[in-house]
Amino acid sequence: MLRFATRRLALALLVALTVSAISFFLLRLSGDIAIALAGEGARDIDIEAIRAQYGLDRPLLFQYGEWLLQVLGGDLGTSLFFRTSVGALVLDKLPVTLILGISSLLFALLISIPLGVLAAIYRNTWIDRLALSIAVVGQALPNFFFALILVMIFSIGLRWLPVSGSGSWQNFVMPTIALGYYVAPAFMRLVRAGMVEVLSADYIRTARAKGLSRRSVIVKHALRNAVVPVVSLSAVQLGYLLGGSVVIETIFALDGLGFLAYESITQKDFPVTQAVVMLLSVFYVLLTFVGDLVNAWLDPRIRVA
Amino acid sequence: MRLHTAALLTGLAPMLFAGHPAFADQANNSIRFAYDQAPESIDPYFNNVRIGVIIGQHVWDTLVYRDPSSNEYKGLLAESWERIDDRTLEFKLRQGVTFHNGEAFNADDVVYTLNFVADPENGVTTQQNVAWIDRAEKVDDYTVRVISKEVFPAAIEYLSGPLAIHPNEYYEEVGPEGMDRNPVGTGPFKVVSNEPGKAIVLEKNEAYFEGSPKEQGPIETVDIRIIPDRQTQVAEMLSQGMDFVMHVPKDQAEQMEQVPFLQVVSGETMRIVFMQMNTLENSPAPALKDERVRKAIMHAIDRETIASEIVGAGARVLDVICFPSQTGCDASAAPTYDYDPEKSRALLAEAGYGDGLALDIVAYRERNQTEAIIGYLKAVGIDARLNFLQYAAMREQIRAGEAELTHQTWGSFSVNDVSASTPVYFKFEADDITRNPEVRDLLQKGDTTIEPEARNAAYRDALALIAEHVYGVPLWSLPVYYVATSDLDFTAYPDEMPRFWEMDWKD
């Protein structure tokens, strides 16, 4: 187990390092940062001043090395745009994104587990097909468009919810639904498949034969087993949700990491973009790592692979 | 875009039948203003976005104020001024003015601020605004002199625009970072809350000095929220979650005009639109070195029609590459060119391109306008291939001499003087891709001549020369669309500066 864990950890670190290098160089490939930072109205003197100020005239490899050393020392650098510490900026925005990610995950589980269970129990009936079509729509509808439909109904039509902002819990309702609905289908299919398999297992027949109530059989015996893979999928999906929040946070002007990422991209604030990309990928790598460990602990066969 | 706005508008349908709720904000005199970009700092010297300029003018004052309707200079923090010599201006300052933190305003504030920003070490974002200043000197407590490095005729214009005055004691203590966190100025509004990248709240400065040309109206609070997504801004306006947005695209503005509780106001801005043509020695499009080809391009485009049909209300067709109200933007000697596709084709044939000509055009905004231009060029046999880029990428290409045709815009930083526009593209700066030494010398003469008539003549001749040789195609000025609650009374000015201090409610 320990050997497996160390190997996985080394792999995770390698992935994080590769992501950092790729994103660093891709960002630099996207154009002359000094011109971009100076903005539309800038004249020569403005651009040259910026180039000198941020040391953008030095070799790229040198700039990357310097950045990497800084990051390893716990310093994410200074935002070129806000001129404040990137670490502080990111920490400030992290809670909103975490709340959104976790609430979307809960929302997704809340709709997908009952739907998956119902679809499995009433396999091949209209209930199954309804659940399937809900899933198909969720997966097919781009979440920015779904967000717009929600806004149209709940903000403009009914005036129940504020369109944008992050001041109160009401601001999180539509983003949670828009983001959560998109990942729900994956869970639903997993629950349905798991339930279908489990329901035909011998021990369920035994449970039924013992005369246990239908409810007890489904919830206590079947669901508990069918839901195991959902746990490890949750870890991966949470990473996805954190990344997917870029679009949703921007649409709803929710002041989180995704919003910061979008702003930093449009402003060519590359230390911030770099930090957010880094942070999200480290999260993703970490969650996958934990998921792997949990799986390996549950199922010893994985450790050998 | 159009589809999405239309979709959002359909959400309104049930509400229109039910009647809309009363305007909540007139009662407490507050305006909620959504903008799509955050300022990098509130300190006006350390940002280069429009919202930064807007906040700057509300929270700080400048020595001089340019009346946006008459373009006349009025005293603001200065009561009067006179020119001592070619490089020196002397200002008599207003007495009894205090900063938001209670510090009294006097000559020390002016001297400290101007000397601080003029020092390149301090890294002010827009160097062109301050690089002309050599130093400021105190004569007595309420008299200062501002000395420019060279002869700089546009000094008053700059001192009425970007050069806000900071309180010297406070600024010396906290620096630009502290000024961003807790901004202190003398202006008609003060900053009461600032969440970087998210929201800024301005509140009326009740202690604002009497007699300021920035006269205060009833607005007590301006609640600025950063909402990057256009559709979200539209949705906020439709759900009455916001009261004021600007830079709304024409098609969306037209759709929102139908909403009973909203008004759409459009106005011309100082942003000019024009095309550059690469005539440099190593131009990737040698055809552009032929004046007949350039004239053919000029005659091919129906600028009047594009301006009225596509650009929108408030747009004006330009004869020269500068904004008409800018001092020195004199088009009187410049030849003009009609829309004449026949003549265009004839010129092309004469130049040896009767069978057609292929050129690249780079552009970065208002793509529909570029496409209209391309359509007109196609009609005379010029196949213009669109290369639509981010601004920085386009500018890099131009500066490297790799661009052929460009579809450009320039806002002059709202500086109402031609030295802030034409020279950028024709005085051998990096963006100049025609480089005519004669034009350069005339512009240089204009930039450094104090005497108004001689100065004007130099610019007039430079602009005439540019037009004669068609070194660029002047197109039109860009309008800006504002959408606001219908009960707000406000004026749109060419400098794209909503002045919340003077806004009022309609009766």
Side-chain angles (χ1 to χ4, degrees):
Chain A
M1 183 71 188
L2 190 68
R3 231 190 74 187
F4 173 80
T6 1
R7 244 190 16 230
R8 285 279 144 164
L9 186 66
L11 203 65
L13 286 176
L14 212 61
V15 169
L17 189 71
T18 314
V19 168
S20 83
I22 292 178
S23 57
F24 188 91
F25 291 109
L26 275 182
L27 280 172
R28 301 312 174 100
L29 277 178
S30 64
D32 187 326
I33 288 165
I35 294 182
L37 274 176
E40 253 188 75
R43 285 168 79 161
D44 257 5
I45 39 172
D46 306 321
I47 294 169
E48 290 317 316
I50 284 177
R51 208 184 297 285
Q53 192 182 346
Y54 296 120
L56 297 170
D57 40 5
R58 298 167 310 160
L60 262 188
L61 216 57
F62 182 82
Q63 291 183 45
Y64 175 67
E66 191 186 57
W67 176 82
L68 198 64
L69 280 178
Q70 258 185 13
V71 171
L72 291 176
D75 176 11
L76 288 171
T78 307
S79 158
L80 300 187
F81 190 77
F82 293 112
R83 291 168 198 255
T84 49
S85 141
V86 175
L89 210 57
V90 164
L91 273 183
D92 186 43
K93 314 275 178 182
L94 191 59
V96 168
T97 302
L98 282 181
I99 292 172
L100 179 63
I102 291 169
S103 63
S104 314
L105 184 65
L106 291 179
F107 174 78
L109 292 173
L110 210 68
I111 61 167
S112 60
I113 293 177
L115 275 177
V117 170
L118 283 175
I121 297 171
Y122 302 102
R123 206 165 3 141
N124 298 327
T125 66
W126 65 270
I127 296 178
D128 188 13
R129 277 188 287 275
L130 180 72
L132 181 76
S133 50
I134 291 176
V136 167
V137 170
Q139 200 102 83
L141 207 60
N143 57 9
F144 65 87
F145 190 72
F146 184 54
L148 217 59
I149 293 175
L150 291 175
V151 167
M152 200 178 99
I153 298 172
F154 294 105
S155 298
I156 298 177
L158 298 169
R159 306 241 169 156
W160 286 352
L161 294 167
V163 178
S164 64
S166 43
S168 76
W169 64 270
Q170 289 153 316
N171 291 111
F172 286 87
V173 176
M174 290 190 292
T176 296
I177 297 174
L179 201 55
Y181 186 37
Y182 191 66
V183 295
F187 288 121
M188 206 203 84
R189 280 199 309 268
L190 202 64
V191 172
R192 183 184 177 277
M195 282 297 280
V196 167
E197 199 187 315
V198 169
L199 282 175
S200 59
D202 290 346
Y203 72 90
I204 293 292
R205 208 173 27 194
T206 312
R208 278 196 185 128
K210 282 198 298 188
L212 291 178
S213 76
R214 185 176 153 88
R215 204 188 122 130
S216 158
V217 170
I218 290 170
V219 177
K220 280 199 183 149
H221 294 77
L223 185 60
R224 201 174 272 185
N225 285 297
V227 104
V228 170
V230 171
V231 177
S232 56
L233 183 68
S234 295
V236 180
Q237 291 290 48
L238 185 61
Y240 174 83
L241 285 169
L242 293 177
S245 62
V246 174
V247 174
I248 289 297
E249 284 183 14
T250 306
I251 290 178
F252 292 102
L254 260 186
D255 187 33
L257 267 192
F259 187 49
L260 183 68
Y262 176 87
E263 275 187 319
S264 71
I265 292 166
T266 55
Q267 288 145 355
K268 296 266 173 168
D269 191 353
F270 63 91
V272 174
T273 316
Q274 180 84 34
V276 176
V277 169
M278 233 15 254
L279 197 73
L280 290 180
S281 47
V282 166
F283 260 130
Y284 204 93
V285 166
L286 208 69
L287 287 169
T288 316
F289 175 65
V290 171
D292 282 351
L293 285 192
V294 170
N295 275 341
W297 178 66
L298 288 173
D299 186 350
R301 282 172 300 180
I302 295 175
R303 285 176 229 167
V304 192
Chain B
M1 287 290 253
R2 197 183 290 270
L3 178 84
H4 292 178
T5 310
L8 288 173
L9 278 165
T10 56
L12 268 180
M15 211 208 66
L16 293 182
F17 291 111
H20 54 82
F23 301 111
D25 297 286
Q26 192 167 343
N28 54 12
N29 278 320
S30 82
I31 291 181
R32 294 162 302 173
F33 169 29
Y35 198 82
D36 56 358
Q37 254 183 316
E40 48 267 61
S41 163
I42 306 273
D43 185 334
Y45 291 105
F46 292 92
N47 69 63
N48 66 357
V49 288
R50 171 68 25 190
I51 187 71
V53 178
I54 295 170
I55 295 169
Q57 297 259 348
H58 282 78
V59 178
W60 284 272
D61 285 322
T62 42
L63 288 176
V64 185
Y65 182 71
R66 174 162 51 81
D67 186 303
S69 316
S70 63
N71 282 326
E72 184 194 334
Y73 296 112
K74 295 177 174 173
L76 187 54
L77 285 176
E79 271 179 334
S80 64
W81 56 92
E82 60 174 330
R83 192 167 272 291
I84 303 291
D85 61 46
D86 271 5
R87 291 172 48 219
T88 312
L89 283 163
E90 186 174 284
F91 294 86
K92 291 275 177 223
L93 305 179
R94 196 183 287 268
Q95 305 196 12
V97 176
T98 49
F99 285 93
H100 301 150
N101 65 349
E103 194 178 322
F105 164 75
N106 58 31
D108 293 328
D109 302 308
V110 180
V111 170
Y112 182 81
T113 306
L114 295 184
N115 286 334
F116 178 87
V117 298
D119 183 353
E121 286 287 300
N122 292 322
V124 165
T125 305
T126 308
Q127 285 294 320
Q128 55 179 304
N129 286 339
V130 294
W132 60 274
I133 303 171
D134 182 54
R135 63 188 190 279
E137 284 172 0
K138 177 179 177 176
V139 177
D140 62 43
D141 271 359
Y142 291 96
T143 312
V144 287
R145 286 187 172 183
V146 179
I147 298 121
S148 58
K149 286 181 185 142
E150 282 156 39
V151 181
F152 191 68
I156 289 290
E157 174 61 27
Y158 279 86
L159 288 166
S160 75
L163 294 168
I165 303 300
H166 285 328
N168 68 316
E169 284 159 39
Y170 180 68
Y171 204 43
E172 199 166 3
E173 185 194 321
V174 302
E177 289 84 30
M179 191 53 105
D180 176 35
R181 270 195 303 276
N182 289 304
V184 173
T186 55
F189 278 84
K190 51 191 178 186
V191 177
V192 289
S193 130
N194 172 23
E195 296 172 78
K198 186 177 169 189
I200 298 140
V201 182
L202 307 182
E203 206 175 86
K204 190 177 187 176
N205 174 12
E206 296 294 349
Y208 194 51
F209 60 91
E210 291 284 318
S212 166
K214 295 179 179 174
E215 262 180 77
Q216 285 178 308
I219 305 301
E220 301 272 350
T221 335
V222 182
D223 207 332
I224 305 168
R225 277 228 353 251
I226 307 302
I227 301 179
D229 190 81
R230 282 258 168 252
Q231 293 303 330
T232 310
Q233 289 189 7
V234 171
E236 283 285 11
M237 290 304 291
L238 294 180
S239 64
Q240 293 179 296
M242 284 284 149
D243 307 308
F244 192 91
V245 288
M246 61 189 288
H247 296 149
V248 181
K250 178 174 179 267
D251 56 341
Q252 287 185 341
E254 280 164 358
Q255 286 179 320
M256 282 157 82
E257 213 155 18
Q258 305 153 12
V259 180
F261 53 84
L262 294 179
Q263 60 173 325
V264 175
V265 175
S266 70
E268 187 184 26
T269 69
M270 284 180 74
R271 185 166 290 277
I272 57 169
V273 187
F274 57 96
M275 287 166 73
Q276 293 173 277
M277 302 196 251
N278 190 340
T279 66
L280 295 176
E281 200 46 53
N282 55 356
S283 171
L288 290 174
K289 287 194 266 186
D290 189 325
E291 196 168 304
R292 290 166 299 189
V293 173
R294 302 201 296 270
K295 282 188 172 148
I297 290 172
M298 190 80 219
H299 280 299
I301 302 164
D302 186 352
R303 297 176 297 157
E304 292 289 347
T305 304
I306 300 180
S308 62
E309 299 303 314
I310 294 176
V311 186
R316 155 163 52 160
V317 171
L318 304 172
D319 290 326
V320 286
I321 298 176
C322 49
F323 186 71
S325 81
Q326 287 181 316
T327 306
C329 185
D330 183 344
S332 62
T336 54
Y337 301 85
D338 302 333
Y339 168 56
D340 189 345
E342 281 312 310
K343 196 167 181 180
S344 175
R345 272 187 282 266
L347 281 164
L348 281 173
E350 205 185 308
Y353 298 101
D355 301 332
L357 169 65
L359 292 170
D360 283 333
I361 180 166
V362 283
Y364 76 108
R365 56 183 275 175
E366 274 89 28
R367 188 180 177 132
N368 55 345
Q369 295 179 16
T370 323
E371 281 165 355
I373 292 168
I374 290 172
Y376 279 108
L377 291 177
K378 191 149 216 142
V380 298
I382 298 172
D383 180 19
R385 292 160 306 206
L386 176 58
N387 193 357
F388 199 80
L389 299 170
Q390 289 285 321
Y391 182 73
M394 176 182 89
R395 202 163 192 196
E396 235 179 294
Q397 222 185 71
I398 294 169
R399 290 172 159 232
E402 288 160 5
E404 299 181 359
L405 290 173
T406 78
H407 175 205
Q408 267 280 15
T409 84
W410 183 254
S412 302
F413 260 89
S414 297
V415 171
N416 198 36
D417 190 281
V418 86
S419 61
S421 58
T422 317
V424 180
Y425 294 96
F426 296 100
K427 213 177 94 177
F428 284 55
E429 287 193 20
D431 296 287
D432 185 355
I433 51 173
T434 51
R435 304 203 176 216
N436 178 321
E438 220 181 320
V439 172
R440 174 196 58 195
D441 295 343
L442 283 167
L443 289 173
Q444 176 63 18
K445 189 174 169 209
D447 284 356
T448 51
T449 303
I450 292 284
E451 203 280 304
E453 245 165 74
R455 182 166 193 251
N456 194 68
Y459 284 132
R460 183 193 62 217
D461 294 347
L463 291 167
L465 215 54
I466 295 166
E468 233 165 76
H469 297 295
V470 198
Y471 285 133
V473 182
L475 295 168
W476 42 76
S477 56
L478 271 189
V480 61
Y481 284 85
Y482 302 85
V483 177
T485 56
S486 51
D487 52 350
L488 188 69
D489 189 11
F490 75 100
T491 315
Y493 297 108
D495 60 4
E496 282 176 79
M497 252 288 301
R499 290 162 165 79
F500 292 105
W501 66 76
E502 63 165 40
M503 288 185 192
D504 204 343
W505 303 106
K506 290 177 188 167
D507 298 323

